Amino acid sequence: MSSPPPDTVTIAAVNVRPWPLFIDTATLSLPISFSDATYRINKNLRYFTGNYALIILIILLISLITRPISLVLFLIIFAGWIYLYFSRNEPLELFGFDIDDKFVLGFLTLVSFVALLVVKIWMNVVVSIGFGIVILCVHGALRAPEDHEDSPYGALLSDSPRGNYTIV
């Protein structure tokens, strides 16, 4: 009926950094300027994307504890997102037809918005995500990125701060 997803353990290991590295207090320091804080947030956001997403999701699910029907509904929707969109490397196959990723993304987004409308928890979700973003920004600004962390520019950067130029 559908193509099987790849091993989710290997996917989670790629996206989520080790938690001891994430909460290492030795790397915390105050930024010296606003631009330094935004640089740190940007670099930590790229490096700890999976960790931040899990923290925001946990905050959202904790906020839904008082509404168990909503909690179960969104756990099912979250499982659908994981299975149908995030954990696949190949196109989704349904009854012998390949389903485009854009269609799957649109369908899951529509289901999520309809569920939000039906259970009427817009404000709960907005406040939870806002609180998660505040935690993300505070952690990102206070944690000094290390040199060995992955750069989004990869091998384009040289080791020398002046670049790889020769004197003319």
Side-chain angles (χ1 to χ4, degrees):
M1 183 158 184
S2 68
S3 55
D7 184 21
T8 56
V9 173
T10 58
I11 290 172
V14 170
N15 293 334
V16 178
R17 303 292 180 180
W19 290 102
L21 178 66
F22 182 79
I23 59 174
D24 185 16
T25 57
T27 60
L28 298 180
S29 66
L30 290 175
I32 57 174
S33 66
F34 180 73
S35 63
D36 184 37
T38 56
Y39 168 77
R40 287 179 176 197
I41 291 171
N42 190 11
K43 187 147 184 169
N44 286 324
L45 181 62
R46 285 194 176 111
Y47 191 70
F48 291 113
T49 302
N51 300 72
Y52 289 142
L54 280 176
I55 288 172
I56 291 174
L57 177 69
I58 289 169
I59 290 170
L60 177 63
L61 293 178
I62 288 172
S63 72
L64 292 175
I65 284 178
T66 59
R67 303 187 67 166
I69 301 295
S70 301
L71 179 64
V72 170
L73 177 66
F74 280 97
L75 282 173
I76 291 170
I77 291 172
F78 177 68
W81 274 93
I82 294 289
Y83 180 76
L84 294 174
Y85 192 72
F86 290 115
S87 67
R88 292 182 305 105
N89 292 332
E90 303 163 359
L92 181 68
E93 185 178 315
L94 187 64
F95 301 116
F97 297 102
D98 286 343
I99 308 297
D100 187 34
D101 278 344
K102 291 179 185 177
F103 179 78
V104 173
L105 178 65
F107 175 74
L108 289 171
T109 303
L110 179 69
V111 167
S112 300
F113 281 126
V114 168
L116 282 172
L117 286 174
V118 169
V119 296
K120 299 176 185 167
I121 57 168
W122 277 101
M123 188 55 100
N124 192 3
V125 170
V126 168
V127 169
S128 299
I129 291 175
F131 186 66
I133 290 173
V134 167
I135 290 174
L136 177 151
C137 288
V138 168
H139 178 267
L142 292 179
R143 186 181 185 284
E146 298 171 5
D147 291 335
H148 65 80
E149 294 175 355
D150 296 340
S151 169
Y153 305 108
L156 295 175
L157 300 175
S158 67
D159 292 337
S160 170
R162 294 185 180 190
N164 200 5
Y165 300 105
T166 59
I167 298 175
V168 179

